[in-house]
Amino acid sequence: MSRRQSEIQDTIENRDRIHVVMFFLSLLFMILGILILVRIVHIQASYTVDDRVIGLFRPSVQRHVEHPVRGKILATDGRPLAISAPLYDIYMDCTVRKAEYAETGKDSLERVWRNKAKELAACLSAEFKDKSADAYAQAILGGRDKGSKYLRIQKNVDLSTLEKVKTFPLFREGPYTGGFIVEKHDERIYPYDTLARRVIGYVKEQNRIGLESSFDAELHGTEGYEWRRVTDNKRWVRDLDSAQVRVIDGNDIRTTINVDFQDIADKALRAQIQADDEVRAGICIIMEAKTGAIRAMVNLSRGDTPQTVLWERENLCLREVGEQGSVMKTVTLVSLVEDGYVKTLDQTLPTNNGFVPGGYNQDVHILDYQRETGRRDISVMHGFEISSNYVFTWLAETYYGKKPQEMFDHIYSYRFGEAFDFDISGMGTPVVNRPDSPGWSKTTLGTTAYGYSVAVTPLHVATFYNAIANKGCMMKPYLVESVEKDGKVIKKFEPSALNSSICSPATADTVTRALRAVVNEGTATRLKSAKLPVAGKTGTARVVLSPKERQGSSDPYSDAYGRKKFQGTFVGFFPADEPKYTILVTVYSYPSHRNFYGGTKPALAIREIVDKLYALDGEWDAQIKHTGTVPVMEKDVEVAKGVVPDVKGFGLKDALYAIEAAGMHCQYEGTGHVASQSPAAGAKATDNQIVKITLK
Amino acid sequence: MSVSTVWQAIRNSFRALREGEFLLRIRADKYYMHIMYLFLLMWVTILLSLQVDKTLTKAGDNQAAIDQLRIHHAEKEAALVKLHSASAAETRLKELGVNIALPQEPATVIKKK
């Protein structure tokens, strides 16, 4: 074989080898490809991953959700009405290390644990004072015997107590020896307990009421999260390579509530309710006349029986829609004066023995009036003072009988026909029987004039009286004045008007005079001696009973035993000559044979409130100007022996000097400057004569 | 490059490693500074990473302490505010048997002219 042939032969062999290698390589890749395809199909169709495998591939990071701190609800002066803080529930795993000790076969370990448990029981008993040490020990050791892994030790413990509990025997050894388990949960704390609780409200899952509900979006804040990883020291730290959403704590809301006002009103009302087992509930609203800011809103009520605890159970101020009785006579009076039908309060009308034609009941009070005075006419003012239904029925029928819509236009302009916007949702919708309503009858106009046929909430009534106090400008009542973040105001709610003029200032003045007369001469004389002059109106109304309460009675206002439910109201403002606050108090009775008048319990409660508010604020009292001069003894005053010196206006030191220099002795009482002296100045006196001085 | 050549290179490398001449054979001395620089960078990276972990741990501890203080503050504030009402003061005075009541008259105000 030639060299050339040999080279060719080698090349052929080389190519064959390459072909073989390439063939096997391509075969290998093809098999691998098929295997991958089969694997893909397998994974997609039926493969389940072993948890251990997942564990190996899972990165050691976890998502940590951060919950925002709910904002505070503050009183108008910044005192907190509701704040958030976590509370802790303490549990115990009683079985901790029990099996381990059993395995070692040494009883001593178990005995030591049990002895420590007894020491722990003693500490828990001393701290919480709810159970004896033996009872705690029995629970823990019994739990260990029974295998209890989650024994409740105490719920709702604060942080200070928790830190103390952590130092108790056994618990100080941590969860793996002491079985110490703590669960944290955020709770709302109300520092003033029940004070204004219906206004503040709460948010508990689906139950949402009060400001907590209305301003939940502001108070709640926004949740945040971050990813955390484990460090080499087995500590969880923020993973800076992962996304983070910062938590935003809730905003604070500053209310118009004045804690002192609320406290005083709550206490005064509570005293009136607790003194009488037949009173079911009582409410109070104090509103600032110029702005409509609500300074106090009290809603106290008992349960079905008088024995139940007096509590802020429901917001009656806002939700109790009912006929308000004689307090609505002021509505009629304002309309009559504003329309010019009543030009002066001394205007008279015939008494007609208390009868108004058209199916109205006789007003027996008019018969008393006729008998006492011998007169056959009565002034509008006196009718208002004695709260005569006859007078107001007569006025309404006489002046609005042919055009009732005119009177109802007024009622609507006073916002009695709507549940206006308010900071707490759920205001009761008023019921007004208009001339075109199905419920309209020939007596509706007259009964509306004295407070029946129209059902409104107490807040509506207070808002109307506030408008009179405010010279006709009806301010919108409000409870929240600002939203704040870290003390900085981010949203401010200014006072606004519901109706800038429900009547002229002259009409408001006239009606104020009538309201003042009610207190001085009429049905609310209990308020005559209040420390600030009050103007207002009483009202007593029967309450429509529910079918269950009626117990088969056909009369909507009384049950089968003739008992009726009443509500007695006083609403007005003070000081009468320059109104600063409008106040309403209503008490509600259980079904009773007694009457509950607005001039009794409500007036007494208001008197207490007004007297205390008077003492609370220096603005009511006379002011001393700082430029006032105080008399001082002149250096060259002559003191004659045997003659009583004139020490009036002197301070004590100077008076003592002058009297003793004249050879007399001094007796004094009081502080300040000498207001009077005895004997009088200039009188002759013997040595050692006693001169009595009074300092004021 | 044939398989035998690759195999030969691997064998030579192992032999060089055994004889301690590997770095010289691949002329690593030529890249000494680069290698040292890489080493330094890695060392600094590890050190910084540890420092970051340490700082984050400290920040976490501080945050926990701040949270605890905030809770304490809220609890103390609530406890203090509870006492800061007229009726609470009245009740407390009564309990203590102190004969002091709320004022019946407002305070006299001295006002600038």
Side-chain angles (χ1 to χ4, degrees):
Chain A
M1 192 183 290
S2 68
R3 193 180 164 192
R4 173 74 183 152
Q5 281 177 324
S6 170
E7 280 175 359
I8 291 167
Q9 187 63 39
D10 283 350
T11 309
I12 291 167
E13 279 177 9
N14 272 342
R15 279 181 183 168
D16 287 346
R17 206 163 46 239
I18 287 166
H19 284 157
V20 169
V21 169
M22 289 305 290
F23 169 75
F24 278 110
L25 271 175
S26 60
L27 188 67
L28 183 70
F29 280 115
M30 197 170 72
I31 290 166
L32 278 173
I34 291 166
L35 281 174
I36 288 167
L37 276 173
V38 169
R39 185 71 177 153
I40 289 169
V41 172
H42 174 232
I43 287 169
Q44 292 296 323
S46 61
Y47 181 73
T48 51
V49 189
D50 195 319
D51 282 344
R52 284 171 300 177
V53 176
I54 291 175
L56 291 173
F57 286 97
R58 185 183 288 146
S60 57
V61 292
Q62 59 176 218
R63 191 171 187 264
H64 177 78
V65 177
E66 285 187 87
H67 298 282
V69 177
R70 193 171 175 81
K72 292 177 190 171
I73 297 180
L74 306 169
T76 188
D77 59 357
R79 280 188 265 177
L81 298 170
I83 53 179
S84 281
L87 291 178
Y88 304 87
D89 297 341
I90 302 172
Y91 296 90
M92 186 176 185
D93 177 4
C94 301
T95 65
V96 66
R97 305 194 78 172
K98 187 183 172 190
E100 195 185 315
Y101 293 160
E103 272 175 26
T104 59
K106 291 179 187 169
D107 286 347
S108 58
L109 289 172
E110 180 66 14
R111 216 178 309 123
V112 168
W113 194 96
R114 284 178 174 265
N115 286 337
K116 283 182 183 172
K118 284 176 189 165
E119 287 173 34
L120 170 68
C123 291
L124 291 172
S125 173
E127 178 62 34
F128 298 120
K129 295 180 180 68
D130 57 341
K131 281 189 264 183
S132 66
D134 285 345
Y136 267 114
Q138 208 173 344
I140 295 168
L141 298 175
R144 192 165 179 83
D145 295 338
K146 285 180 207 158
S148 171
K149 285 177 177 288
Y150 200 61
L151 175 72
R152 196 180 85 185
I153 300 294
Q154 198 63 240
K155 290 196 94 172
N156 296 331
V157 171
D158 62 24
L159 185 63
S160 313
T161 314
L162 178 76
E163 282 176 351
K164 207 191 271 184
V165 171
K166 273 181 182 173
T167 64
F168 288 172
L170 213 57
F171 278 174
R172 72 171 77 106
E173 293 174 43
Y176 301 115
T177 305
F180 187 49
I181 302 168
V182 180
E183 284 177 9
K184 179 180 163 187
H185 56 94
D186 280 323
E187 279 292 319
R188 208 68 168 142
I189 300 173
Y190 303 97
Y192 295 105
D193 290 333
T194 62
L195 216 57
R197 279 297 285 278
R198 279 290 136 179
V199 172
I200 300 165
Y202 59 79
V203 172
K204 278 182 189 161
E205 292 161 5
Q206 297 307 311
N207 294 332
R208 290 161 174 260
I209 60 164
L211 293 172
E212 292 272 22
S213 166
S214 306
F215 286 81
D216 191 38
E218 293 285 358
L219 291 164
H220 184 270
T222 313
E223 279 183 355
Y225 71 85
E226 64 181 20
W227 289 93
R228 290 184 175 179
R229 64 180 171 80
V230 181
T231 65
D232 293 340
N233 291 329
K234 305 293 176 199
R235 297 285 306 272
W236 286 98
V237 296
R238 202 185 127 205
D239 185 3
L240 296 172
D241 296 331
S242 303
Q244 182 202 22
V245 173
R246 280 196 180 279
V247 63
I248 301 169
D249 289 339
N251 297 325
D252 300 336
I253 58 167
R254 188 180 289 257
T255 66
T256 57
I257 295 290
N258 182 313
V259 175
D260 295 325
F261 283 32
Q262 183 81 28
D263 191 24
I264 288 168
D266 186 281
K267 207 174 169 192
L269 197 56
R270 208 173 269 273
Q272 292 300 326
I273 299 171
Q274 280 172 337
D276 193 331
D277 280 353
E278 291 193 86
V279 177
R280 180 180 65 86
I283 58 156
C284 176
I285 301 170
I286 303 177
M287 193 188 288
E288 198 170 75
K290 284 213 163 15
T291 60
I294 290 177
R295 297 293 176 212
M297 189 180 260
V298 185
N299 292 281
L300 292 172
S301 54
R302 288 169 164 149
D304 292 335
T305 62
Q307 286 72 38
T308 48
V309 181
L310 202 53
W311 181 259
E312 290 236 346
R313 293 170 197 277
E314 50 189 327
N315 198 330
L316 296 167
C317 295
L318 202 60
R319 298 195 177 162
E320 188 74 356
V321 177
E323 294 163 319
Q324 299 292 329
S326 295
V327 292
M328 298 296 274
K329 284 172 184 158
T330 313
V331 175
T332 312
L333 185 63
V334 171
S335 307
L336 288 162
V337 176
E338 186 66 6
D339 288 340
Y341 298 129
V342 171
K343 290 187 174 56
T344 161
L345 293 173
D346 298 327
Q347 189 173 315
T348 57
L349 55 135
T351 50
N352 294 335
N353 295 325
F355 272 116
V356 177
Y360 293 103
N361 293 331
Q362 186 185 22
D363 184 348
V364 290
H365 296 107
I366 294 296
L367 295 177
D368 296 339
Y369 167 79
Q370 288 181 166
R371 198 168 46 250
E372 284 166 16
T373 62
R375 293 181 64 149
R376 289 292 176 270
D377 62 354
I378 184 168
S379 69
V380 174
M381 175 70 110
H382 193 66
F384 193 69
E385 280 171 13
I386 63 168
S387 199
S388 165
N389 288 352
Y390 162 79
V391 168
F392 281 85
T393 310
W394 189 93
L395 289 168
E397 282 292 345
T398 304
Y399 296 113
Y400 295 116
K402 288 181 182 160
K403 43 188 175 177
Q405 192 57 46
E406 196 177 339
M407 187 167 123
F408 282 88
D409 286 346
H410 281 299
I411 287 173
Y412 277 95
S413 78
Y414 306 152
R415 304 286 177 170
F416 283 123
E418 62 182 282
F420 51 77
D421 178 40
F422 188 58
D423 288 336
I424 299 176
S425 58
M427 181 187 277
T429 307
V431 179
V432 179
N433 273 322
R434 295 173 307 186
D436 55 349
S437 304
W440 180 263
S441 73
K442 58 182 181 176
T443 58
T444 303
L445 180 67
T447 51
T448 301
Y450 62 80
Y452 285 86
S453 304
V454 171
V456 294
T457 69
L459 187 61
H460 281 92
V461 178
T463 307
F464 171 74
Y465 275 78
N466 194 59
I468 299 170
N470 208 22
K471 305 281 180 205
C473 179
M474 181 178 265
M475 298 306 292
K476 179 174 167 288
Y478 69 105
L479 269 167
V480 175
E481 56 185 43
S482 61
V483 176
E484 298 175 8
K485 181 85 182 167
D486 301 324
K488 190 180 167 191
V489 175
I490 53 174
K491 212 185 280 178
K492 179 93 182 149
F493 301 100
E494 300 290 346
S496 59
L498 279 173
N499 184 341
S500 58
S501 178
I502 63 160
C503 64
S504 67
T507 301
D509 287 343
T510 305
V511 174
T512 300
R513 196 157 62 82
L515 293 170
R516 189 81 189 102
V518 170
V519 172
N520 288 334
E521 311 290 338
T523 51
T525 46
R526 281 185 173 84
L527 280 164
K528 198 175 173 180
S529 56
K531 289 182 177 169
L532 290 167
V534 180
K537 181 76 185 78
T538 58
T540 308
R542 292 167 301 167
V543 177
V544 176
L545 302 180
S546 67
K548 190 184 163 194
E549 287 172 321
R550 269 182 238 166
Q551 299 173 330
S553 165
S554 57
D555 182 356
Y557 291 104
S558 72
D559 66 9
Y561 307 101
R563 295 179 305 179
K564 290 171 183 165
K565 274 168 81 175
F566 285 94
Q567 65 176 63
T569 304
F570 181 89
V571 54
F573 41 83
F574 63 93
D577 39 2
E578 203 179 326
K580 193 160 184 206
Y581 298 108
T582 297
I583 186 163
L584 175 144
V585 169
T586 301
V587 294
Y588 300 88
S589 78
Y590 286 111
S592 168
H593 292 293
R594 283 166 51 202
N595 280 340
F596 290 83
Y597 295 111
T600 55
K601 286 183 174 296
L604 288 171
I606 286 180
R607 189 167 134 187
E608 189 182 333
I609 294 166
V610 170
D611 286 355
K612 285 190 172 169
L613 292 186
Y614 164 75
L616 198 68
D617 201 337
E619 73 175 294
W620 310 117
D621 206 21
Q623 294 169 351
I624 297 171
K625 292 193 173 65
H626 82 308
T627 50
T629 52
V630 176
V632 289
M633 186 178 176
E634 289 173 19
K635 275 183 184 171
D636 56 350
V637 68
E638 284 182 12
V639 178
K641 281 266 181 187
V643 178
V644 177
D646 184 5
V647 292
K648 269 191 188 171
F650 285 8
L652 180 60
K653 235 180 188 176
D654 292 340
L656 275 171
Y657 171 77
I659 291 167
E660 286 179 1
M664 285 155 241
H665 292 298
C666 178
Q667 268 186 7
Y668 70 92
E669 61 178 22
T671 53
H673 294 86
V674 179
S676 62
Q677 66 176 85
S678 173
K684 287 191 176 169
T686 55
D687 274 357
N688 299 327
Q689 164 91 41
I690 292 172
V691 179
K692 290 181 181 174
I693 56 172
T694 306
L695 297 103
K696 276 185 184 170
Chain B
M1 190 187 285
S2 68
V3 176
S4 59
T5 316
V6 174
W7 181 240
Q8 185 64 43
I10 292 167
R11 273 200 311 183
N12 287 342
S13 297
F14 272 108
R15 197 172 296 142
L17 277 170
R18 200 180 62 209
E19 291 166 5
E21 291 176 358
F22 180 73
L23 291 176
L24 289 172
R25 292 259 184 99
I26 62 167
R27 301 297 306 274
D29 53 330
K30 200 173 160 186
Y31 305 105
Y32 179 74
M33 288 308 291
H34 300 81
I35 291 165
M36 288 310 289
Y37 179 61
L38 182 67
F39 177 78
L40 180 74
L41 281 181
M42 288 172 75
W43 182 79
V44 168
T45 308
I46 291 166
L47 190 74
L48 284 175
S49 170
L50 286 172
Q51 287 300 319
V52 167
D53 278 8
K54 202 174 162 186
T55 308
L56 285 173
T57 308
K58 205 172 174 182
D61 290 346
N62 289 342
Q63 188 57 50
I66 290 168
D67 288 347
Q68 284 230 332
L69 286 173
R70 272 171 62 169
I71 296 165
H72 270 303
H73 179 262
E75 284 174 1
K76 298 287 174 208
E77 189 182 11
L80 203 64
V81 162
K82 201 173 262 186
L83 301 171
H84 197 253
S85 72
S87 50
E90 237 178 353
T91 311
R92 188 85 186 109
L93 287 169
K94 216 172 187 176
E95 282 170 5
L96 294 169
V98 179
N99 202 16
I100 298 174
L102 289 176
Q104 300 297 308
E105 297 288 327
T108 303
V109 178
I110 301 175
K111 206 174 182 184
K112 285 187 178 179
K113 203 175 178 183

